[in-house]
Amino acid sequence: MKNETFSGTQAAKVVAISYRQLDYWARTDLVRPSGTDATGSGSRREYTYRDLLELKVIKNLLDAGIKLESIRDVFAYMREHVDTDISSAHLVISGSSVVLCNGEELIDVLRHGQGVLNILPMSGVRDEIDRHIIEMRPEPIVLQGERETPGSKAV
Amino acid sequence: MKNETFSGTQAAKVVAISYRQLDYWARTDLVRPSGTDATGSGSRREYTYRDLLELKVIKNLLDAGIKLESIRDVFAYMREHVDTDISSAHLVISGSSVVLCNGEELIDVLRHGQGVLNILPMSGVRDEIDRHIIEMRPEPIVLQGERETPGSKAV
DNA sequence: GCTGGAAACTACGCGGGTGTAAGACGCTAC
DNA sequence: GTAGCGTCTTACACCCGCGTAGTTTCCAGC
């Protein structure tokens, strides 16, 4: 599963965004495909599973009413400060700083927080993506002793 | 303090927004002055203290990265569903629903929340406004046994 | 080589939100 | 009545984000 990639169109579909949004976000450096970037008309972008997680986070934040401009700031911060896997328990955004918290830490943050907090539980993000990847795939062909992995280039 | 009102320019200053923003929000029905609305060029809007609280909430949410469009939805919802004073403990926005929570309720919401939450502690909002009202006033004249209230029309 | 499909690219338009500046108006003091 | 001040109104511009549609390019199959 680690090396599988998704085309731009597939990624947009899995994450439930328009291709236009995906393209715009890639062109404006919010999330560029970390597999292969576009090199011109007719070329192919290759998004990794991790890219999909990021895209889904963005989608969820947008749906929650957060401005894309703010999401850019959040991602910039995370790229500099947050090393761990973004699928940890809760993503907590306070101003332009971001932390990843488990349940107890989250309660602390709440007790001491002063401004507006944006809290995104990450637990469902991976599940959502996996579900859409499965939906996207044709009926799987049962191979001898091996199942095809989602997003395989054979799609 | 209940009947004091503020002009549009004063309100914008107290809340730390541009007059353009205030005007746009009034014209597009986000927060119209509940004292006196504008009736044409040269007329005077009169914002109440409660209007100022609402304006400040909007400002804080904008600063936290929430889209104005979403804030509109939030306010529409609150006007329909939330009767209590908006200066209660925490304003919790989940999708387009809004609840007001004290500390323990907030922890419950967190434990059971599924999507992105936006949480605005209201405790500082009133303080912030009061501070700016005081800053706006000229040096108070000590009257016999009575201090002038903030925002008095005599300003 | 040709065709068809997929995908990136380009262009234009629209709505939302806001900055800037000038004009119009109301009110008060002289 | 006039001047000055404060305030609302109007106009224009700009940026952002994204929808729509056409163009260009790549690739696989025949």
Side-chain angles (χ1 to χ4, degrees):
Chain A
M1 184 139 155
K2 197 177 187 118
N3 296 323
E4 74 206 299
T5 60
F6 304 84
S7 68
T9 313
Q10 286 171 334
K13 189 168 177 184
V14 167
V15 177
I17 57 176
S18 68
Y19 180 82
R20 183 75 183 88
Q21 284 179 300
L22 181 91
D23 192 41
Y24 179 71
W25 298 349
R27 289 171 182 285
T28 52
D29 297 321
L30 178 54
V31 174
R32 304 194 79 105
S34 53
T36 305
D37 205 354
T39 55
S41 191
S43 66
R44 306 287 156 128
R45 291 184 175 112
E46 291 182 312
Y47 286 89
T48 62
Y49 189 77
R50 177 170 176 124
D51 295 334
L52 296 197
L53 287 177
E54 291 189 355
L55 292 170
K56 194 68 188 178
V57 167
I58 294 169
K59 173 64 152 67
N60 286 351
L61 292 174
L62 280 178
D63 286 347
I66 315 293
K67 300 178 209 171
L68 192 65
E69 176 194 348
S70 297
I71 295 169
R72 291 186 189 281
D73 296 338
V74 166
F75 268 66
Y77 182 93
M78 284 201 301
R79 291 207 171 107
E80 245 184 273
H81 292 93
V82 179
D83 293 325
T84 56
D85 183 12
I86 64 166
S87 55
S88 300
H90 292 85
L91 186 67
V92 179
I93 305 165
S94 170
S96 47
S97 65
V98 183
V99 293
L100 292 163
C101 301
N102 63 35
E104 296 310 308
E105 290 168 340
L106 186 53
I107 291 168
D108 275 353
V109 168
L110 269 186
R111 289 230 162 97
H112 299 107
Q114 303 243 21
V116 177
L117 294 178
N118 305 307
I119 300 172
L120 172 67
M122 298 298 302
S123 54
V125 175
R126 190 180 284 267
D127 295 340
E128 262 186 285
I129 293 186
D130 289 349
R131 187 169 63 245
H132 281 102
I133 292 173
I134 289 164
E135 283 170 6
M136 183 180 69
R137 306 218 50 239
E139 195 65 27
I141 301 163
V142 180
L143 301 183
Q144 289 185 357
E146 188 97 24
R147 305 233 2 187
E148 296 210 358
T149 55
S152 162
K153 287 203 191 170
V155 172
Chain B
M1 184 138 156
K2 195 169 184 112
N3 297 323
E4 74 208 298
T5 60
F6 304 85
S7 69
T9 314
Q10 286 172 333
K13 189 170 176 181
V14 167
V15 178
I17 57 175
S18 69
Y19 181 81
R20 183 76 184 86
Q21 285 179 298
L22 180 92
D23 191 42
Y24 180 72
W25 300 347
R27 288 172 183 286
T28 52
D29 297 320
L30 180 54
V31 175
R32 305 196 78 103
S34 56
T36 306
D37 205 352
T39 57
S41 193
S43 65
R44 304 287 155 132
R45 289 183 176 116
E46 291 183 311
Y47 287 89
T48 61
Y49 189 79
R50 173 159 181 138
D51 295 334
L52 297 196
L53 287 176
E54 291 189 353
L55 292 170
K56 193 69 189 176
V57 167
I58 294 168
K59 174 64 155 68
N60 285 351
L61 291 173
L62 281 178
D63 286 347
I66 315 291
K67 299 178 206 173
L68 193 67
E69 178 194 350
S70 297
I71 295 170
R72 290 185 188 282
D73 296 338
V74 166
F75 268 66
Y77 182 93
M78 283 202 302
R79 291 204 170 109
E80 243 183 277
H81 293 92
V82 179
D83 293 324
T84 56
D85 183 13
I86 64 165
S87 56
S88 299
H90 292 84
L91 186 66
V92 178
I93 305 165
S94 171
S96 45
S97 65
V98 183
V99 293
L100 291 163
C101 301
N102 62 36
E104 296 308 309
E105 290 168 339
L106 185 54
I107 290 168
D108 275 353
V109 169
L110 270 186
R111 289 229 161 99
H112 299 104
Q114 302 241 19
V116 178
L117 294 178
N118 302 305
I119 299 171
L120 172 67
M122 298 298 300
S123 55
V125 175
R126 189 181 286 267
D127 296 340
E128 265 186 283
I129 292 187
D130 288 348
R131 187 167 64 244
H132 282 100
I133 291 174
I134 289 165
E135 284 170 6
M136 185 180 70
R137 305 218 50 239
E139 196 64 30
I141 299 162
V142 179
L143 302 183
Q144 290 185 352
E146 186 99 22
R147 297 213 40 162
E148 296 211 0
T149 55
S152 162
K153 287 206 192 167
V155 175

